[in-house]
Amino acid sequence: LCESSLGECSEVGHGRLLIDGTVIPLLCKGGDRVLFGEWMGTEIKLNNKPYMLLQESEIFGILETDTAV
């Protein structure tokens, strides 16, 4: 078993650029809560705040929020 982490997408890119110039849009968007592996991505700090840079392929899943109260 591998450990996993929960995070929130603050920003995402435009998508994956293929060699022929085609852009494949991303499935996740800013504000999505995502689950990713413990050793995935690259940790950085901007203005002393930690961020994790991930490729979409490193995301295990996007968690749906329950809007019903």
Side-chain angles (χ1 to χ4, degrees):
L1 294 174
C2 81
E3 295 291 321
S4 59
S5 298
L6 179 65
E8 182 177 327
C9 294
S10 56
E11 295 289 332
V12 298
H14 297 289
R16 178 179 285 245
L17 180 62
L18 301 179
I19 198 164
D20 67 358
T22 304
V23 176
I24 299 175
L26 299 173
L27 296 175
C28 61
K29 58 189 178 307
D32 282 349
R33 294 180 59 193
V34 296
L35 191 63
F36 57 94
E38 181 180 16
W39 303 107
M40 300 292 189
T42 301
E43 293 182 42
I44 64 166
K45 279 192 177 185
L46 292 174
N47 297 324
N48 216 20
K49 187 174 177 185
Y51 290 92
M52 179 70 70
L53 299 178
L54 295 166
Q55 295 183 38
E56 193 173 49
S57 62
E58 296 177 309
I59 296 173
F60 293 149
I62 300 170
L63 301 177
E64 291 185 14
T65 57
D66 184 9
T67 57
V69 176

